[in-house]
Amino acid sequence: MKDEIILYEYEGSPCVRRVKITLIEKGLTFKTQSIDLSRMQQKSQEYLSINPNGVVPTLSHNARMIYESSVINEYLEDQFPTNALYPSTIAGLAEVKKWQNVELALAKVCRTLAWAYAMGPLQHISYTREEYIAIAAKTTTNTGHLNWSGKVWDLAILSTEEQKQHQNQLIKFIDFVESSLQDKHYLLGALFSNADILLYPRLTMLSLVGININQLNYPNLQAWIKRVAARPSIQLTHNKSMDLLYNSGLIEKINHILYSKKKRTIQQSLYLWGMGKICRKKFKVKQALQEHTEGFNKILLPTKGMATQPSKVKRKALYDVQVDNHLTLYSYKDSPLCSRVKLVLAILELPYTNVEINMVELDHKRKPFTHLNPAAELPILKHGENLIFDSQFIVEYLCYIANNLQLFSQDSYEQAQIKMWNAFDLGMLKEYRPLFFDWIMKKDNGSNKVVKESTNNELPKEDQAWFNHMRAGTLLTDTERQGYIEIFSEKMSYLDNHLNNNNYLVTDRFTYADIVLYTRIVTFNALGLGKSVAHCKNIEKWMTHIAEQLASPSSASC
């Protein structure tokens, strides 16, 4: 039977584009289903049932749902190995993961800036506030999601100064890519790979947020962009209308007028009015307001019976693992991402040296740590001369060293499921991060103590505002905190429902997926998120069971 592939997408999404590029590179036929992010359709119950993170893309392969673009592309590599896009060595894959880590950090900055610099202003001139919230409310009643919509329309995501700081962060990433491409055709050297697919869509849309990659300052990057752009998969996924939007100067002009503190001229007001009329037609505002909720959220579902097809496809083998070098872990004691790596090190009985990085002082954002990881994220594993980023890949790498892969799976779909739970966990970071930093600041310094001004001048200016809010205890408002609790409750309900008839998250055995969610949820009470799991009896039972597994490393390692 022919494979049925459906890609759930949104026009202009770089994450969607990288999956499209992969599908085309592998010569695969696929259908598409548009998910309208401007209407918050990604937060509808219909879409959340197939992607609990409420983002695009999602891929349906013979009715099996896979979400998160990197997980999808790795799954496609295993299922369709022709025209390989990943290296066959652990060292090569580690290099791809390094670029994935860089892209994730880039995306974290870029997404927020895109909503503040471009999407917010476009929504502001296209809808009234009441219209924008009413349309969002057709897809979700979650207070946290609706609060976000309100902030988008109110242009309250980032101030103009914060937008400049975010742009400076992106420029640092661009500088790093430029230097990394010295004497290289592609990011991994002579061959086009998933690393190039990861970065190309994001880097070529940065004009949307006011950043110009020019030939004078970035000759290596410009040459790489032209080289990659010549591929048929890039040309077939090129969206001319979005490209016109990025490079027309339209966004920059609207942004300048809306955020200006000066009184608007008549010409400026007429310009916004006229552009608003055009955008209302583009976004089909009138239709969205009149459409019934049932039709509004309807999405294309896979053909019935497709899921009965066998899924067993063995994953591609990796080679060249070196086991005789010392392991050094750079971590922070209370970080869930670091805790899960330490748990696996204990399960595998691997000796290592731990280097504690003080996240309370944002030392991971300062030199010399940023020389180790330009994405400025923990944890990092150093193995000989190799630096490994990304907690999930660090654990997978450790399992190869120990020659014990039982925390993962050799079946490609089961492996994708494990990685999707990791993506599910990372999908909580936007809301989790301010709660986490608020907690560790109070815990390490005392909730009633005044934190002294930092004497370390190496903290980048773009991180200083976050540091100041953290010291002052103003990272989030009470309204935002309550909205976050509601978002976590929605997530935990999904997890609790999954555990209704399952002892573990994937298959009938203990895997890395269980470690991932356990290390996150175990911090909830300390962060004030206890309410989000108070109603989840299946999670409570599962947490007790996993704690027992982890208390006995021999049983945890199967």
Side-chain angles (χ1 to χ4, degrees):
M1 188 181 295
K2 188 177 180 180
D3 289 289
E4 181 187 67
I5 298 175
I6 303 173
L7 179 64
Y8 297 85
E9 62 162 354
Y10 178 68
E11 182 184 40
S13 164
C15 300
V16 168
R17 191 179 183 190
R18 65 177 63 117
V19 173
K20 280 186 171 180
I21 291 169
T22 299
L23 288 165
I24 294 168
E25 287 282 344
K26 291 187 172 293
L28 298 171
T29 302
F30 59 97
K31 302 174 186 176
T32 60
Q33 163 71 62
S34 178
I35 302 297
D36 194 339
L37 306 193
S38 70
R39 302 183 184 188
M40 292 287 282
Q41 193 179 13
Q42 77 278 18
K43 300 301 182 184
S44 68
Q45 288 304 309
E46 289 80 357
Y47 188 69
L48 289 173
S49 69
I50 64 173
N51 183 334
N53 277 352
V55 295
V56 291
T58 300
L59 185 88
S60 170
H61 177 218
N62 298 338
R64 291 181 173 85
M65 298 296 179
I66 304 113
Y67 57 86
E68 207 280 316
S69 60
S70 293
V71 177
I72 294 169
N73 281 351
E74 288 175 30
Y75 171 82
L76 290 172
E77 182 77 1
D78 287 330
Q79 289 280 327
F80 307 99
T82 304
N83 300 328
L85 295 169
Y86 284 82
S88 59
T89 64
I90 194 74
L93 186 56
E95 190 69 9
V96 172
K97 291 294 181 178
K98 179 191 83 172
W99 286 112
Q100 182 177 318
N101 191 253
V102 168
E103 201 285 328
L104 283 172
L106 183 72
K108 184 174 67 176
V109 178
C110 193
R111 283 194 195 108
T112 306
L113 182 58
W115 280 105
Y117 188 93
M119 297 302 294
L122 286 176
Q123 312 306 321
H124 189 90
I125 66 171
S126 304
Y127 306 80
T128 66
R129 192 181 197 280
E130 292 73 21
E131 286 173 340
Y132 193 55
I133 298 300
I135 290 171
K138 290 190 177 191
T139 61
T140 180
T141 58
N142 188 294
T143 304
H145 299 320
L146 294 176
N147 286 345
W148 169 260
S149 294
K151 287 183 70 174
V152 168
W153 194 92
D154 292 337
L155 307 179
I157 302 299
L158 296 172
S159 66
T160 51
E161 182 59 34
E162 289 169 333
Q163 289 177 41
K164 290 177 183 176
Q165 291 168 358
H166 277 60
Q167 288 172 332
N168 289 336
Q169 283 182 282
L170 293 178
I171 289 169
K172 287 184 179 181
F173 284 117
I174 298 169
D175 291 341
F176 175 74
V177 178
E178 169 69 17
S179 61
S180 299
L181 282 167
Q182 185 68 40
D183 301 322
K184 289 183 180 178
H185 271 65
Y186 299 105
L187 289 169
L188 297 194
L191 297 177
F192 178 76
S193 73
N194 184 262
D196 303 291
I197 295 173
L198 276 166
L199 259 70
Y200 181 88
R202 183 79 61 189
L203 290 174
T204 53
M205 65 170 285
L206 289 181
S207 54
L208 177 70
V209 292
I211 292 177
N212 177 34
I213 301 176
N214 58 61
Q215 177 67 37
L216 180 64
N217 294 325
Y218 301 104
N220 296 329
L221 192 48
Q222 274 291 341
W224 172 80
I225 288 172
K226 290 177 182 177
R227 200 173 295 121
V228 175
R231 299 184 72 87
S233 62
I234 303 298
Q235 295 171 10
L236 288 169
T237 58
H238 179 226
N239 189 311
K240 291 182 180 179
S241 62
M242 295 302 294
D243 197 42
L244 180 63
L245 177 65
Y246 296 162
N247 299 303
S248 64
L250 170 70
I251 298 294
E252 185 178 5
K253 186 171 181 178
I254 293 172
N255 178 287
H256 175 75
I257 296 172
L258 288 176
Y259 283 101
S260 175
K261 295 180 180 179
K262 296 180 181 179
K263 186 178 179 180
R264 285 178 203 160
T265 65
I266 294 174
Q267 291 87 347
Q268 287 174 330
S269 296
L270 287 172
Y271 178 79
L272 292 181
W273 176 82
M275 292 309 305
K277 286 285 189 183
I278 294 170
C279 289
R280 282 181 74 87
K281 289 182 179 179
K282 169 69 176 174
F283 292 135
K284 300 178 181 178
V285 175
K286 187 175 180 180
Q287 179 184 334
L289 288 167
Q290 294 175 345
E291 195 169 355
H292 291 294
T293 302
E294 292 77 11
F296 193 83
N297 297 321
K298 189 175 181 180
I299 61 175
L300 176 68
L301 295 174
T303 304
K304 289 184 179 180
M306 291 298 294
T308 60
Q309 291 194 66
S311 69
K312 296 293 181 182
V313 175
K314 193 173 182 180
R315 292 170 56 217
K316 183 165 66 176
L318 295 172
Y319 306 96
D320 82 332
V321 182
Q322 302 294 319
V323 299
D324 55 349
N325 290 316
H326 184 71
L327 296 169
T328 301
L329 181 69
Y330 296 83
S331 69
Y332 176 66
K333 58 184 178 178
D334 294 313
S335 162
L337 297 173
C338 298
S339 296
R340 61 194 59 160
V341 175
K342 291 177 181 177
L343 283 171
V344 172
L345 282 162
I347 290 169
L348 299 175
E349 299 181 337
L350 290 172
Y352 69 101
T353 299
N354 185 66
V355 178
E356 186 73 10
I357 305 296
N358 187 356
M359 292 185 76
V360 175
E361 293 295 324
L362 297 191
D363 283 352
H364 59 303
K365 300 288 186 182
R366 308 176 193 267
K367 298 175 183 178
F369 181 83
T370 50
H371 289 312
L372 294 174
N373 184 358
E377 297 286 354
L378 290 169
I380 294 178
L381 181 73
K382 186 175 183 182
H383 184 216
E385 296 302 313
N386 297 323
L387 291 172
I388 315 297
F389 311 122
D390 178 75
S391 57
Q392 178 260 304
F393 184 65
I394 288 173
V395 168
E396 194 170 2
Y397 183 88
L398 291 171
C399 289
Y400 273 101
I401 290 175
N403 195 26
N404 183 346
L405 299 176
Q406 293 190 61
L407 289 174
F408 293 95
S409 175
Q410 289 304 298
D411 172 63
S412 62
Y413 183 61
E414 286 180 2
Q415 180 75 345
Q417 288 178 295
I418 293 169
K419 291 182 177 181
M420 278 191 284
W421 283 115
N422 187 68
F424 177 84
D425 171 74
L426 296 179
M428 295 187 270
L429 280 185
K430 186 180 84 170
E431 293 80 20
Y432 184 89
R433 192 178 293 270
L435 294 166
F436 174 75
F437 276 96
D438 185 59
W439 169 56
I440 62 173
M441 173 61 76
K442 290 176 180 176
K443 183 172 73 70
D444 283 15
N445 294 287
S447 57
N448 297 317
K449 294 180 182 179
V450 176
V451 182
K452 294 180 180 180
E453 191 76 24
S454 173
T455 57
N456 191 327
N457 295 321
E458 293 179 346
L459 186 66
K461 289 182 180 180
E462 55 267 23
D463 294 310
Q464 190 65 51
W466 174 275
F467 193 47
N468 292 341
H469 280 301
M470 195 169 83
R471 291 202 312 261
T474 56
L475 282 175
L476 68 168
T477 65
D478 290 341
T479 300
E480 286 173 328
R481 187 183 295 272
Q482 287 304 120
Y484 288 178
I485 290 173
E486 196 168 331
I487 289 173
F488 278 105
S489 295
E490 186 176 71
K491 286 267 197 176
M492 291 303 103
S493 293
Y494 178 90
L495 176 61
D496 195 64
N497 184 60
H498 176 81
L499 288 167
N500 191 37
N501 295 308
N502 298 296
N503 292 321
Y504 300 102
L505 291 176
V506 180
T507 73
D508 57 352
R509 63 183 179 85
F510 179 77
T511 69
Y512 179 60
D514 298 293
I515 295 175
V516 167
L517 270 299
Y518 175 85
T519 52
R520 182 73 64 191
I521 296 170
V522 79
T523 68
F524 276 17
N525 283 333
L527 272 64
L529 291 170
K531 290 181 181 178
S532 67
V533 289
H535 62 292
C536 300
K537 300 303 179 185
N538 295 323
I539 291 179
E540 182 181 358
K541 180 181 176 182
W542 169 80
M543 288 286 287
T544 301
H545 182 51
I546 298 304
E548 291 171 352
Q549 291 268 143
L550 292 170
S552 175
S554 60
S555 64
S557 61
C558 306

